[in-house]
Amino acid sequence: MAPERNENEGENADNGVLATTDGTETTGIGIVEGATAQVEVTLPTAFDEEDDFDDDVVRGEDVTLVQLEQPPAERDEVRGEAPATTAVPVASVSTASAEPAPKASVSAAAAASPAAAKTAPAPKTAAAAQASSSVASTSATAPAASDASRAELDHHERVRPRTSEITLQSRRLGDFEVDRESSDLLTADRLLDPAHVVRPEPEGAWRHLVYTLSGRRINLGDSKRARARKQLDDRIAAPLSGGARFVPVLSRKGGVGKTTVTTLLGMALADAREDRIIAVDANPDRGTLAERVGRTSGKTVRDLVRARGDVHGFNDISQIVARDHTRLDVLASDADPHVSEAFSDADYRDVAEVAAHFYSVVLTDTGTGIVHSVMEATLEHADELVIVAGLSIDEARLASETLTWLESNGYAERVRSAVVVLNTSRPGAALVRADELDAHFRSRVRAVVRLPYDPHIASGSAISFRDLQPETRDAARELAAIVVEGLRASSVAA
């Protein structure tokens, strides 16, 4: 029996402590309102490998035992025996009964262990009686006392030391210091020395001669003509967003060079651009567009209309069209005189639907009339118009009347963005003043291009783009650049 607690004794006095611990495996101390109670329990010898607390709460009448694991090394050092689980009682006030606990409850782990021993009865000391009476007197405030004691236990039961935690942090690009640079600032313009950068060979007779004689050390750059040509190439090769673009070439009078303009425009586009260009001969009677290319496939638009359901890839359509050295594809018109049914607007819509899947720009060489059946379908698909006028009074007047007819039939917006080509089909000086024609058409359309006379074209044979005179080739390329700029402007406006 332990002596009763004396409040007047010094700090080192045995106040409510057992005189000896012989025969006692461990001692659990429960704190209830400042009073202590000693309970003798038998501990299991099995060691639980779990790292977390085993909250095996065995509630008695007033005391709850909580399993707490100690580090194995610490247990072995202190006790010099196999690891054991210490039962630490937690003060728990029962609101149902205020009777003092006759004995301490045994933990579930101790009861379940094969090596569990008997549970000693609680010593009936004055301190225990005082603790029991204190529990009974504070039954009204039991929940608050329980919460406080549990919080204190949570603070003191951290027996196992925490492992050090390493925090990994990621830094964004804007979090770097001001004086530190990222890798995207290492550009070629910054790092490469202009004096050692290899420049392309200059274009121009004497400029290239100086470059060669100096051992490729003196590079004066391209000539003015070469720079202008490269700038024109960039204008023609400008990308076009969206789907296929349709550009019909119109004229109300035959013989003014409509087929020639279609051929030159298509060659200039195909020679400078990376995408596919096709020219369709939509003359309802008989066209000569394929003859201007010089390479025929033997197939016509009628064959494409019949086989449109079997066209699943570009290889299928490439067997029907003809291609020249500039990569311009040409779809010839039907030249069989025994065919009684002319090329209709329904046929053109079928051809346009197939061509739109494989080509970026679709040029259409229309017939001599503007009111025939194919013209309606052609104007429905048109993104930009090209009007051809000859250098004569009647040819120029018919071209102007064509613009008036288009404005009167709902195509006024297309007329304002159209391009007029003044084609010189005869050698020598023209009988009319070309400047006056230029001024007249510029008042009605977006741009006017003059196409000079070329004997290679006037012969009526197949046209080779590289064999044209430089002035004719430059005029065709300028026309192509203007058409591309118009298509790009229309896509932005849409």
Side-chain angles (χ1 to χ4, degrees):
M1 297 281 303
E4 295 183 359
R5 177 182 178 88
N6 190 352
E7 299 294 336
N8 298 323
E9 290 182 2
E11 295 180 356
N12 298 327
D14 273 353
N15 291 326
V17 182
L18 291 176
T20 178
T21 58
D22 295 340
T24 304
E25 295 292 337
T26 186
T27 302
I29 300 176
I31 302 174
V32 180
E33 294 294 330
T36 61
Q38 296 182 349
V39 180
E40 183 181 34
V41 295
T42 302
L43 301 178
T45 59
F47 174 65
D48 191 2
E49 292 293 335
E50 296 293 335
D51 291 335
D52 297 333
F53 292 118
D54 185 7
D55 295 336
D56 190 1
V57 180
V58 180
R59 295 186 179 273
E61 296 177 357
D62 297 309
V63 181
T64 300
L65 298 182
V66 178
Q67 296 289 56
L68 178 63
E69 178 186 349
Q70 295 181 353
E74 182 179 346
R75 287 197 302 266
D76 296 342
E77 256 184 38
V78 176
R79 305 189 52 190
E81 59 184 30
T85 303
T86 304
V88 179
V90 180
S92 175
V93 180
S94 175
T95 57
S97 175
E99 295 293 333
K103 61 179 178 179
S105 299
V106 183
S107 66
S113 174
K118 62 181 180 178
T119 303
K124 299 181 179 180
T125 61
Q130 184 180 355
S132 300
S133 61
S134 176
V135 169
S137 62
T138 57
S139 60
T141 59
S146 177
D147 292 341
S149 51
R150 287 182 183 274
E152 183 177 359
L153 178 65
D154 182 72
H155 176 72
H156 291 287
E157 281 182 352
R158 305 292 180 175
V159 180
R160 178 180 291 276
R162 292 185 179 180
T163 58
S164 60
E165 299 180 357
I166 301 176
T167 304
L168 301 179
Q169 296 181 354
S170 60
R171 308 184 72 179
R172 301 194 178 193
L173 187 61
D175 297 338
F176 287 98
E177 289 78 359
V178 178
D179 56 344
R180 297 182 63 186
E181 297 182 352
S182 57
S183 60
D184 56 349
L185 298 179
L186 300 178
T187 60
D189 296 337
R190 176 185 178 184
L191 299 180
L192 296 180
D193 187 359
H196 297 86
V197 174
V198 179
R199 299 172 58 189
E201 295 186 5
E203 295 188 19
W206 71 271
R207 292 172 181 266
H208 192 273
L209 179 62
V210 172
Y211 179 75
T212 305
L213 295 177
S214 64
R216 300 186 177 184
R217 289 190 297 269
I218 301 177
N219 192 336
L220 301 177
D222 296 330
S223 62
K224 183 178 180 180
R225 182 179 179 84
R227 292 196 299 270
R229 178 180 57 80
K230 292 181 179 180
Q231 291 176 1
L232 192 56
D233 286 339
D234 294 339
R235 292 172 57 194
I236 300 173
L240 296 174
S241 60
R245 304 304 180 86
F246 290 82
V247 181
V249 182
L250 310 176
S251 176
R252 291 191 64 183
K253 187 180 187 306
V256 296
K258 176 175 52 62
T259 301
T260 299
V261 171
T262 305
T263 305
L264 295 179
L265 175 59
M267 289 181 174
L269 289 171
D271 186 59
R273 297 185 61 85
E274 297 294 334
D275 46 10
R276 300 185 184 126
I277 312 296
I278 188 173
V280 179
D281 194 342
N283 196 319
D285 301 324
R286 185 191 186 282
T288 59
L289 180 62
E291 299 175 2
R292 304 299 275 173
V293 175
R295 298 181 182 182
T296 60
S297 62
K299 303 294 182 64
T300 64
V301 291
R302 188 75 59 184
D303 296 314
L304 182 58
V305 171
R306 296 192 191 102
R308 69 182 184 276
D310 299 329
V311 176
H312 303 291
F314 184 72
N315 290 335
D316 298 329
I317 196 173
S318 63
Q319 299 176 3
I320 301 176
V321 301
R323 173 172 291 188
D324 79 327
H325 64 275
T326 61
R327 301 185 306 107
L328 172 65
D329 289 349
V330 176
L331 188 58
S333 65
D334 201 340
D336 189 358
H338 298 286
V339 177
S340 58
E341 183 182 358
F343 189 69
S344 64
D345 55 346
D347 296 334
Y348 180 83
R349 290 187 177 93
D350 293 337
V351 171
E353 182 180 358
V354 176
H357 286 284
F358 303 101
Y359 295 92
S360 298
V361 179
V362 181
L363 305 178
T364 305
D365 182 14
T366 62
T368 55
I370 200 173
V371 293
H372 57 74
S373 60
V374 184
M375 187 59 64
E376 181 181 357
T378 303
L379 295 177
E380 287 178 359
H381 290 79
D383 294 295
E384 190 172 5
L385 301 177
V386 176
I387 314 297
V388 181
L391 294 183
S392 65
I393 297 177
D394 59 338
E395 292 172 348
R397 185 174 295 167
L398 286 174
S400 183
E401 291 176 356
T402 302
L403 297 177
T404 304
W405 185 91
L406 292 171
E407 292 172 345
S408 303
N409 287 271
Y411 301 100
E413 187 66 27
R414 293 286 183 266
V415 169
R416 283 190 289 270
S417 61
V419 182
V420 172
V421 179
L422 299 178
N423 182 34
T424 305
S425 57
R426 300 180 182 87
L431 298 179
V432 298
R433 290 183 288 184
D435 295 339
E436 293 297 328
L437 290 178
D438 190 293
H440 168 76
F441 285 111
R442 285 186 184 276
S443 65
R444 307 191 63 180
V445 298
R446 180 171 60 91
V448 177
V449 178
R450 297 188 189 184
L451 188 63
Y453 172 80
D454 195 312
H456 181 65
I457 297 176
S459 63
S461 61
I463 299 175
S464 177
F465 194 68
R466 64 170 62 96
D467 295 335
L468 296 173
Q469 293 181 354
E471 296 80 5
T472 306
R473 193 164 50 247
D474 291 344
R477 288 163 50 82
E478 181 65 26
L479 173 61
I482 293 175
V483 168
V484 170
E485 291 172 353
L487 294 175
R488 287 171 56 86
S490 63
S491 63
V492 172

